[in-house]
Amino acid sequence: FIMNFPSNLRYTKDHEWISLEGNVATIGITDFAQRELGDIVYVEVDTIGKALEAGAVFGTVEAVKTVSDLYLPISGTITELNADLANEPEDSPDVVNKDPYGKGWMVKMTVDNPADVEALLDAAAYEAVTG
């Protein structure tokens, strides 16, 4: 498999990605993570409106065979859940498998310190982690 690690994003060792525009970050799971998990059937985020520290669990992603916690890359306040991932019958969490860096984003947040993003892994460093 050819893994996709866009160079405009930052990454965590827990396989989350983050993009920053001003002080608003978009967070999702990486191509590597979605392949490891398999078919994603459910995404749960009950932290909307909550201020969380970096490394805190902000939700879970459930695949056919496993449930995995989602970790916040940097400190801030969760402001939005991707409506496409909600658990209404017409919504489809499998968009995370199809487009992890686009339509499959998980949450948006207001970050406490935008400079914290620079301390995260760049694409080359993350690729080395996934080996």
Side-chain angles (χ1 to χ4, degrees):
F1 292 109
I2 296 193
M3 291 289 170
N4 181 16
F5 305 122
S7 60
N8 61 317
L9 303 175
R10 290 290 178 151
Y11 301 88
T12 70
K13 290 179 180 163
D14 295 314
H15 312 294
E16 282 84 27
W17 61 262
I18 183 169
S19 69
L20 190 64
E21 290 182 31
N23 69 337
V24 175
T26 303
I27 298 165
I29 63 169
T30 65
D31 194 21
F32 177 85
Q34 69 84 16
R35 286 180 198 263
E36 291 290 300
L37 288 166
D39 292 337
I40 293 170
V41 295
Y42 187 79
V43 175
E44 181 175 22
V45 175
D46 58 8
T47 52
I48 304 301
K50 293 185 179 172
L52 301 171
E53 294 298 313
V57 173
F58 71 85
T60 57
V61 59
E62 184 175 338
V64 174
K65 297 179 185 172
T66 187
V67 176
S68 186
D69 287 334
L70 298 167
Y71 298 96
L72 207 58
I74 61 174
S75 299
T77 302
I78 306 289
T79 56
E80 182 182 348
L81 169 65
N82 182 346
D84 290 340
L85 306 183
N87 300 300
E88 304 300 323
E90 68 273 10
D91 294 328
S92 51
D94 67 336
V95 70
V96 175
N97 293 116
K98 295 175 186 153
D99 189 10
Y101 302 116
K103 293 180 181 174
W105 62 273
M106 302 273 174
V107 295
K108 290 189 186 274
M109 66 180 290
T110 304
V111 300
D112 292 345
N113 182 1
D116 290 348
V117 174
E118 293 303 314
L120 299 172
L121 302 172
D122 65 16
Y126 179 70
E127 191 167 1
V129 168
T130 63

